[in-house]
Amino acid sequence: DVKVTQSSRYLVKRTGEKVFLECVQDMDHENMFWYRQDPGLGLRLIYFSYDVKMKEKGDIPEGYSVSREKKERFSLILESASTNQTSMYLCASEDNRGASGTQYFGPGTRLLVL
Amino acid sequence: GEDVEQSLFLSVREGDSSVINCTYTDSSSTYLYWYKQEPGAGLQLLTYIFSNMDMKQDQRLTVLLNKKDKHLSLRIADTQTGDSAIYFCAESSGYSTLTFGKGTMLLVSP
């Protein structure tokens, strides 16, 4: 079974803090993704990565950065957290050798920025 | 850009069939997906259909694709309370990222 884990289920931070959200997958997948999920807006893609040290901007990259130093780990960084970044953050991984778009999701991190 | 639309809410009684509908705009969509999200959890892939197929059946799930109308539906037979969740439709043109709909909340009452 594919397993995607996220470092925290719930996180509370203050405005201006630097926040790291970690995601690890154990299936040697090349592709990894970060989304945020907000009521009424569905899932929006923040960043994705096709390989180690590679990153691509998604639909809403502003205020975020990412790091992929190892294949299994994809980190999302909020350089200076703001209240409008309060959201549910979902990480996913995908095996690009199989059927395209079969993404496997982690359980999510619910972030509250005060 | 590409867009995927779903109705936001569906309520059914236990034992009935549920039909969740989705429309998409990208004519180059290669794969179409249904994901399920239970409360407090991430998304779980339910099923997917390749664009050259009209129908796919998997136990209680039936996916119908009308490529001409760009319409996708998910039918759940004999709906159970455990099927209560948010269902996301998504499409991919096969190159990279998925485009998700906003999700349909299915509520199954006893």
Side-chain angles (χ1 to χ4, degrees):
Chain A
D1 260 1
V2 175
K3 194 162 183 189
V4 180
T5 56
Q6 295 184 228
S7 50
S8 306
R9 292 300 303 274
Y10 301 94
L11 212 50
V12 180
K13 295 292 181 181
R14 294 207 174 272
T15 302
E17 279 193 77
K18 191 168 186 175
V19 182
F20 292 87
L21 302 182
E22 305 283 344
C23 175
V24 177
Q25 49 97 0
D26 66 358
M27 283 301 292
D28 200 37
H29 285 171
E30 289 78 16
N31 303 341
M32 296 187 75
F33 305 82
W34 275 106
Y35 297 88
R36 64 178 282 176
Q37 182 181 13
D38 301 287
L41 297 177
L43 271 74
R44 292 181 291 167
L45 181 64
I46 305 171
Y47 267 98
F48 59 104
S49 168
Y50 288 133
D51 204 347
V52 175
K53 297 197 187 296
M54 292 182 69
K55 60 184 178 184
E56 298 283 344
K57 291 180 180 178
D59 299 318
I60 51 161
E62 296 78 20
Y64 303 93
S65 62
V66 290
S67 172
R68 186 125 182 244
E69 294 297 317
K70 293 185 177 181
K71 192 174 186 180
E72 67 270 19
R73 187 180 297 268
F74 191 35
S75 302
L76 179 69
I77 303 153
L78 287 65
E79 294 288 343
S80 177
S82 63
T83 54
N84 63 12
Q85 292 178 310
T86 290
S87 187
M88 170 77 127
Y89 289 88
L90 292 165
C91 174
S93 74
E94 176 190 62
D95 180 0
N96 67 4
R97 293 160 292 183
S100 177
T102 308
Q103 294 187 13
Y104 297 88
F105 283 80
T109 296
R110 194 169 288 280
L111 172 66
L112 172 63
V113 182
L114 299 173
Chain B
E2 301 88 357
D3 196 20
V4 177
E5 297 283 342
Q6 305 177 235
S7 52
L8 293 181
F9 186 74
L10 176 66
S11 178
V12 300
R13 290 199 176 276
E14 195 171 23
D16 288 350
S17 291
S18 308
V19 179
I20 302 171
N21 294 300
C22 169
T23 57
Y24 60 97
T25 58
D26 188 358
S27 56
S28 65
S29 294
T30 308
Y31 294 93
L32 295 120
Y33 304 83
W34 285 105
Y35 281 84
K36 176 183 180 183
Q37 184 181 35
E38 294 180 353
L43 276 68
Q44 170 194 355
L45 179 68
L46 276 181
T47 187
Y48 67 91
I49 188 168
F50 189 54
S51 59
N52 67 355
M53 298 168 64
D54 297 325
M55 186 180 89
K56 182 177 181 181
Q57 190 149 2
D58 183 3
Q59 299 182 329
R60 292 190 298 121
L61 305 179
T62 303
V63 177
L64 294 178
L65 174 60
N66 181 328
K67 198 173 178 184
K68 174 176 168 287
D69 294 339
K70 298 191 186 70
H71 182 267
L72 182 74
S73 67
L74 173 70
R75 179 177 180 269
I76 306 173
D78 188 26
T79 314
Q80 303 297 307
T81 54
D83 294 322
S84 291
I86 302 175
Y87 291 80
F88 289 91
C89 172
E91 66 87 21
S92 167
S93 62
Y95 292 107
S96 57
T97 58
L98 297 181
T99 301
F100 286 88
K102 291 182 171 52
T104 299
M105 180 177 287
L106 173 65
L107 180 63
V108 183
S109 53

